[in-house]
Structure formats: C-alpha cells, structure tokens
Amino acid sequence: MERLNIYMVTNMIEHLQGDCRHVLRTLEDDLVDVCITSPTYWQTGGEGEQLGREKSAKEYIKGLGDVFDEVKMILKDKGILWLVLGGHIGVPFGVAFELQRRGWILQKDIIWKGGNNHDYIFLFTKREGFYFHAPSVWNVPAVKSDIDFDVLPEDLILPMVKTCPENGLILDCFAGSGAVGVVAKQEKKNAILIEINEKYIDLQKEKIRCS
C-alpha cells in the first residue's frame, strides 16, 4: 500500500477518515512525535466500529496490539505513546502487557480519577532513556457529553500534549470528538486525527475551529 507523505505547516490539523488499522499503513515511517489516544473500550464499540465489539477480551487485546504495531512504525525513535484505557477489570493491563510483549517500553502507569470510577493512562516509549515525572494519580473531572461516547477532558490531555516538542506532530488514531486536536491547536502543535465515523469529522472540525 502506498504511504502518504504528510508535510505539516505550523498549527495544522489534518483529519483522516477511516479505520485506523488501514489509515495508519498509508502514513510514512518516523513521522509522529507523540501519539495521544483513547481507543473504544471493550464491548462499547459504536456504529461502524469493529474494535470494541469483539466477543472476547483476548480478541480486543490482540486487535489493539495490531493497531499499535502500526503506530510504532510511524512514531519517531524518541517518540511517546499516551494510551488512555478503562472498562472491564483487567483489560487495560492486558493491553499494556500485550504492548510490552510486542516491544513497547512501559515507562509509567497512571490512575485517572474522573469521578466515581477510574481509568488508566499508560505512557510507552520505543526505547529506554525517557523520564517523565508526574503523580501516579491524576484527579481530573470527567466530561459529560451529549454525544454517544465519552470525551477526554482537555485538562487531562494538556500535560500529554506538552510532551510534544516545538513544531512536533501529534497523532490521535481514535480521535472521536477531536479533543486532542483542540488542545494541540491551543498549544500550537500540529496533529493528525484519524476517525472511523465520518459524522464525527465535522464535529471535530467545528470544535477545533471554535477553540
């Protein structure tokens, strides 16, 4: 499959519609500085989605492992992956263990307390030698949304975006409402947003335009 060469200009947000497992294969290697993403949680997949609708947690974990194999290809050697996951007990750490088995280095796991429940934030790198000092628990209120999926709070995303270097490029391969793109724009970073559901692309563009 032919790979796309994305030449970013300052503060450019690129929207790509499609299944991230296919779209990621079209992007050139060593392109992205930071990936910040929150995949659909297991058994919560929506219309048009396949990831998140698997019958077993094992299938879900393998599916995400395959996605992040592709992310690793386009992530720079010193790149960072921020992965936000929750849902069924054991599944987030099952994904974390699978990524480590596939060569990712888990630098830190963080508990995100957003209300009555808590999710997890995993910080991965491609190689050793990265240090990120942060509390092990982040208390950031969850965002109530009138759309059919949860939205990551911008205050949660901000410290992740700040790990992207100047003129760097951020990727969100499960972009949803585009919250990562909003914060990237506010922090003067470039971003690629991949989303399978076409109806959310317009929502992303409107949110980013108004931010």
Side-chain angles (χ1 to χ4, degrees):
M1 183 179 294
E2 183 180 357
R3 288 187 176 260
L4 298 178
N5 296 312
I6 304 291
Y7 298 98
M8 308 300 292
V9 297
T10 303
N11 309 139
M12 178 175 176
I13 309 297
E14 180 80 13
H15 301 267
L16 300 177
Q17 192 269 324
D19 187 319
C20 67
R21 290 170 292 188
H22 306 310
V23 176
L24 288 167
R25 294 173 192 154
T26 70
L27 300 177
E28 63 178 311
D29 293 348
D30 304 314
L31 175 70
V32 171
D33 294 282
V34 179
C35 178
I36 304 169
T37 198
S38 182
T40 304
Y41 295 176
W42 180 46
Q43 295 188 334
T44 64
E47 179 184 353
E49 295 179 298
Q50 292 179 322
L51 283 168
R53 303 181 74 179
E54 298 85 353
K55 293 181 179 179
S56 71
K58 184 177 180 181
E59 290 177 284
Y60 173 76
I61 290 168
K62 180 186 181 301
L64 285 184
D66 292 344
V67 168
F68 291 108
D69 281 349
E70 298 296 333
V71 170
K72 188 189 286 187
M73 292 289 293
I74 66 171
L75 196 66
K76 293 179 181 178
D77 190 46
K78 295 182 180 179
I80 301 166
L81 166 62
W82 291 96
L83 176 59
V84 182
L85 272 178
H88 289 256
I89 295 174
V91 172
F93 280 93
V95 174
F97 293 147
E98 177 67 10
L99 266 58
Q100 289 177 88
R101 189 184 70 80
R102 294 178 184 232
W104 288 94
I105 298 166
L106 179 59
Q107 299 287 356
K108 194 173 185 67
D109 58 89
I110 299 165
I111 296 173
W112 167 32
K113 288 188 175 181
N116 295 328
N117 300 316
H118 65 266
D119 292 350
Y120 298 94
I121 303 168
F122 299 104
L123 172 58
F124 290 98
T125 58
K126 292 176 65 170
R127 69 175 194 173
E128 298 282 4
F130 177 86
Y131 300 97
F132 179 78
H133 301 285
S136 296
V137 178
W138 291 8
N139 292 288
V140 180
V143 174
K144 298 296 183 183
S145 173
D146 57 0
I147 53 182
D148 55 0
F149 55 84
D150 293 333
V151 177
L152 292 181
E154 294 178 16
D155 287 344
L156 187 79
I157 297 168
L158 180 59
M160 306 179 200
V161 168
K162 286 183 176 293
T163 61
C164 184
E166 186 177 359
N167 298 319
L169 176 60
I170 295 169
L171 167 72
D172 185 354
C173 48
F174 297 93
S177 70
V180 169
V182 170
V183 180
K185 178 186 175 184
Q186 292 170 348
E187 293 298 307
K188 297 180 171 56
K189 308 294 184 184
N190 302 310
I192 296 174
L193 307 181
I194 303 174
E195 173 54 42
I196 193 169
N197 288 320
E198 188 174 4
K199 64 182 179 180
Y200 296 138
I201 300 292
D202 290 338
L203 174 63
Q204 293 172 10
K205 292 179 178 178
E206 181 64 18
K207 284 187 65 175
I208 292 167
R209 185 185 66 81
C210 296
S211 66

